[in-house]
Amino acid sequence: MNFHQPPVSFVGQVNLKVQDLERSVAFYQEVIGFQILEKTERSAKLTADGKTVLLAIEQPDNVQPKQRRTSGLYHFALLLPRRADLANILKHFVQIKYPLQGASDHLVSEALYLADPDGNGIEIYSDRPAAMWEWNENEVVMTTEPLDAESLLSEVEETIWNGLPEGTLMGHIHLHVSELVKTEEFYTKGLGFEVVTRYGSQALFISSGKYHHHIGLNTWNGVGAPKPADNSVGLESFSLVLPNDESVYATIARLKEIGASVTEDNGVWVTVDPSGNKIRFETALNKNK
């Protein structure tokens, strides 16, 4: 099953605020391997396949550095099509000596972790086949073990790194939130996701269509963590791709039932989770328009 196309709901695009647009564009091109789809003096849209925007970055007026101990982005996660693609980018990071923050085996996937020049967290990963994932009733078994880098690098194919492969997707997003009770209600009863893993009382992972997770939520910045300033570096918003217009309207109705706000912004429906993380609704039909 493809966990990033209808009838599954999934994260389509992440929108970030940065301090220095030119510095960020250089990083995302040269280190991560994106292509520029559009660029203005204060913003850029980035793609892996030359048509689908996965990441948009903007430099706000009077931008402030990333604020610590707030809600917002923990990391966004780029899903590569094959394990060999992950091997290729690991070799690239080693060759350019870019520092990694971590390299993990999660059983369902293998992942590399790093940060952009502003401290925005990035995960780059490849999935193991879904048939290999272990489920304990309705919870998927995930852990964090050291990545076997030697095994991974044995799959390197490229002598010259050519950037992100065309089939790269926004695999998931992981957010800092201020608490988990209202947050769980918002994402499950409101947005229609299912909880697939809990890490004690501090984190939960949710998905659509039995993926290991489309969204991670944690209180690791502290219960009651405040929303960052609007002009702070970090997450501006992310898009949630729903199967069709009917599912958008059904989601809006559910959100209103639990008291969540839904507004319209230039023809796009927008909601905000209990911690101030902004979510824009798209459908699979209009995603690339």
Side-chain angles (χ1 to χ4, degrees):
M1 179 177 179
N2 190 319
F3 297 102
H4 297 84
Q5 68 180 30
V8 174
S9 300
F10 58 94
V11 177
Q13 178 178 319
V14 170
N15 306 303
L16 295 182
K17 294 171 285 185
V18 300
Q19 273 195 284
D20 183 325
L21 183 73
E22 296 303 326
R23 178 180 68 176
S24 293
V25 167
F27 166 82
Y28 281 108
Q29 277 189 290
E30 296 166 14
V31 177
I32 303 299
F34 275 112
Q35 305 168 41
I36 296 175
L37 191 62
E38 295 179 22
K39 186 174 180 293
T40 68
E41 187 178 342
R42 302 300 288 271
S43 67
K45 293 181 178 179
L46 306 174
T47 179
D49 65 3
K51 56 186 179 182
T52 306
V53 179
L54 296 179
L55 183 69
I57 54 177
E58 64 170 317
Q59 180 182 327
D61 292 332
N62 303 312
V63 62
Q64 297 180 13
K66 186 176 178 66
Q67 296 178 309
R68 301 183 62 203
R69 311 295 290 178
T70 61
S71 61
L73 184 72
Y74 180 50
H75 63 242
F76 67 86
L78 298 171
L79 173 59
L80 304 182
R82 305 171 305 139
R83 190 173 192 248
D85 298 317
L86 189 65
N88 292 335
I89 201 167
L90 175 56
K91 180 185 176 185
H92 162 66
F93 291 150
V94 170
Q95 287 178 330
I96 65 172
K97 296 181 171 61
Y98 196 85
L100 296 182
Q101 297 178 329
S104 300
D105 185 333
H106 297 301
L107 301 183
V108 296
S109 63
E110 295 173 290
L112 308 173
Y113 296 90
L114 64 160
D116 76 2
D118 289 289
N120 293 308
I122 305 166
E123 174 183 346
I124 301 176
Y125 73 110
S126 63
D127 278 335
R128 288 199 168 95
M132 295 177 63
W133 304 348
E134 182 182 344
W135 290 83
N136 184 1
E137 294 184 353
N138 291 319
E139 292 205 359
V140 67
V141 178
M142 293 195 294
T143 188
T144 299
E145 302 291 342
L147 179 72
D148 187 341
E150 185 176 345
S151 169
L152 181 61
L153 288 170
S154 71
E155 297 205 20
V156 167
E157 295 174 336
E158 297 179 350
T159 53
I160 299 175
W161 186 68
N162 292 309
L164 291 172
E166 189 173 295
T168 301
L169 301 171
M170 188 62 69
H172 64 266
I173 192 168
H174 194 153
L175 303 170
H176 288 297
V177 295
S178 58
E179 60 80 54
L180 286 179
V181 176
K182 290 182 179 177
T183 298
E184 181 174 342
E185 178 186 56
F186 175 88
Y187 282 94
T188 57
K189 292 183 179 178
L191 294 183
F193 285 95
E194 295 180 333
V195 175
V196 288
T197 297
R198 297 179 190 272
Y199 281 11
S201 61
Q202 295 187 324
L204 58 89
F205 296 83
I206 60 177
S207 80
S208 170
K210 294 296 182 184
Y211 190 48
H212 56 70
H213 67 294
H214 289 105
I215 301 175
L217 305 157
N218 76 68
T219 56
W220 298 332
N221 271 351
V223 173
K227 177 180 178 291
D230 287 343
N231 61 338
S232 167
V233 158
L235 182 69
E236 189 278 325
S237 64
F238 67 94
S239 69
L240 190 61
V241 182
L242 302 174
N244 49 45
D245 289 339
E246 290 75 14
S247 57
V248 172
Y249 298 135
T251 300
I252 290 170
R254 290 195 305 269
L255 287 168
K256 289 182 176 179
E257 282 178 12
I258 63 171
S261 68
V262 185
T263 58
E264 195 172 1
D265 179 16
N266 293 321
V268 177
W269 292 103
V270 179
T271 189
V272 179
D273 79 4
S275 301
N277 296 304
K278 186 185 297 183
I279 303 164
R280 302 176 184 273
F281 296 144
E282 296 181 313
T283 66
L285 292 176
N286 66 19
K287 185 177 186 308
N288 296 318
K289 289 183 179 179

